[in-house]
Amino acid sequence: VQLQASGGGLVQAGGSLRLSCEVSGLGGADYATGWFRQLPGKEPEGISCIGSTDEGAIYAGSVKGRFTLSIDKVKKTTYLQMNNLKSEDTGVYYCVADRGYYSTDSLYRVCTPGPRSPPYWGQGTQVTVSS
């Protein structure tokens, strides 16, 4: 399983960025995917996840209302649209994935960090928001 992330960069506070993540190596199986981030000096946190059946995304409270996660099921690519960015959003963002079917109610299992969860991580992409 490979996850190819792109789209990070430098933006002023109040601005927008869009991150993309293409998932490959899962064949036609269902999966869940999403984004974690690691802010300076903090542990990684799950910020948004969605299932490949696109039944709806979940969001961490810190980004709800500002970030929107969508999925292109044909391209197996998710897009994290980040609006109204704040300096406290600065950090390294990681695309993640796990095999299997996840309803919206069960996506928290992918978006909650654990010893072996989620099992697949992409390379990080830096997001820097200047104030």
Side-chain angles (χ1 to χ4, degrees):
V1 178
Q2 291 188 324
L3 291 82
Q4 183 65 47
S6 61
L10 173 65
V11 65
Q12 288 188 329
S16 299
L17 281 175
R18 189 176 82 157
L19 305 182
S20 301
C21 176
E22 180 180 2
V23 181
S24 61
L26 288 171
D30 289 335
Y31 63 95
T33 184
W35 290 88
F36 275 55
R37 69 181 181 184
Q38 187 164 21
L39 306 182
K42 296 191 176 181
E43 294 295 313
E45 62 169 335
I47 57 172
S48 185
C49 290
I50 193 168
S52 60
T53 54
D54 195 11
E55 296 174 28
I58 63 170
Y59 300 92
S62 56
V63 305
K64 198 168 187 177
R66 300 186 298 124
F67 292 12
T68 302
L69 184 63
S70 60
I71 185 168
D72 183 323
K73 292 185 279 186
V74 173
K75 294 182 179 179
K76 295 186 177 179
T77 299
T78 56
Y79 304 96
L80 183 67
Q81 179 66 42
M82 306 185 294
N83 297 329
N84 191 22
L85 283 160
K86 306 175 182 180
S87 57
E88 51 263 43
D89 294 316
T90 294
V92 181
Y93 286 66
Y94 297 90
C95 179
V96 300
D98 193 5
R99 299 177 183 270
Y101 167 73
Y102 285 86
S103 66
T104 306
D105 289 342
S106 61
L107 279 171
Y108 71 92
R109 287 188 240 150
V110 181
C111 257
T112 302
R116 288 181 296 277
S117 179
Y120 305 112
W121 292 67
Q123 84 281 9
T125 185
Q126 176 71 40
V127 171
T128 303
V129 185
S130 63
S131 56

